[in-house]
Amino acid sequence: MIGQEKVFETLSALGIEYQYIEHPEAPTIEIARQYWKNLDSTHCKNLFFRNHKGNKHYLVIVHCDFNLDIHALEKVLGEGKLSFASPERMMKYLGLKPGSVSPFGLVNDENHEVFVFFDENLLKAERLSFHPNDNRASLSIALDDFKRYMDWTGNRYEWRSLI
């Protein structure tokens, strides 16, 4: 597993500035919410899925206040039946443990196997925040810089209406 160091190295190499705060372990939105008070950003919920055959993996990113209906998501994405990926798959494809899922885990996806879907409402945000591969911290990044990071990853991604 590659943690925060690889994220910071990557952002630095791309010339991307970010705001970073450390906090106690926050594996859920409900817990993390109490530590975001001084982080001016749109906070994201990150969910890792696999298809029913287990041969495709998806990272789905929405506003933290959005409750996701998996069956509705299946219809919107048109990717077939989805289920949450196991901790073993999460480690294999993103190098992350449950509770730390983040698009920054894509630094560990050397074969670009994870497809990412973003809710297009996030495009209205000035800044987005995620765990930097460790749920004991949060990182805020400007939307345009985040798009540059996503292009750098080499992973395929789409902005879609998921709400």
Side-chain angles (χ1 to χ4, degrees):
M1 176 172 71
I2 300 173
Q4 295 185 78
E5 301 78 26
K6 180 69 173 173
V7 173
F8 300 142
E9 289 171 11
T10 300
L11 296 178
S12 178
L14 294 171
I16 294 175
E17 294 181 11
Y18 54 87
Q19 183 182 0
Y20 171 83
I21 59 169
E22 291 183 358
H23 50 68
E25 188 173 351
T28 66
I29 294 294
E30 293 72 28
I31 295 169
R33 196 178 301 277
Q34 63 188 308
Y35 305 116
W36 291 336
K37 294 177 182 108
N38 297 320
L39 196 60
D40 185 25
S41 192
T42 297
H43 308 292
C44 298
K45 182 185 296 186
N46 310 282
L47 303 164
F48 190 52
F49 294 101
R50 67 175 187 87
N51 68 350
H52 71 284
K53 291 182 182 179
N55 62 352
K56 293 184 181 179
H57 295 82
Y58 308 95
L59 182 58
V60 176
I61 301 173
V62 298
H63 189 285
C64 71
D65 292 336
F66 179 59
N67 289 320
L68 194 64
D69 176 341
I70 294 176
H71 298 297
L73 180 67
E74 290 169 346
K75 290 177 185 170
V76 169
L77 299 183
E79 296 291 327
K81 184 173 170 47
L82 300 175
S83 60
F84 286 104
S86 67
E88 293 79 18
R89 287 174 186 271
M90 194 177 299
M91 183 58 71
K92 177 179 178 180
Y93 293 99
L94 296 175
L96 301 175
K97 297 182 211 173
S100 295
V101 175
S102 163
F104 293 121
L106 297 171
V107 298
N108 300 320
D109 185 16
E110 295 175 3
N111 295 321
H112 315 296
E113 295 185 61
V114 177
F115 193 98
V116 186
F117 289 103
F118 295 96
D119 182 62
E120 66 186 14
N121 288 303
L122 294 174
L123 290 169
K124 299 173 189 170
E126 288 184 33
R127 301 183 68 80
L128 299 174
S129 70
F130 308 95
H131 289 310
N133 294 352
D134 183 331
N135 66 17
R136 295 171 296 175
S138 295
L139 186 149
S140 172
I141 183 172
L143 177 63
D144 287 341
D145 287 337
F146 181 70
K147 289 178 186 177
R148 263 193 318 126
Y149 162 77
M150 284 302 302
D151 290 339
W152 172 87
T153 68
N155 290 75
R156 294 178 304 132
Y157 67 94
E158 290 181 21
W159 297 87
R160 291 260 195 104
S161 178
L162 303 179
I163 297 177

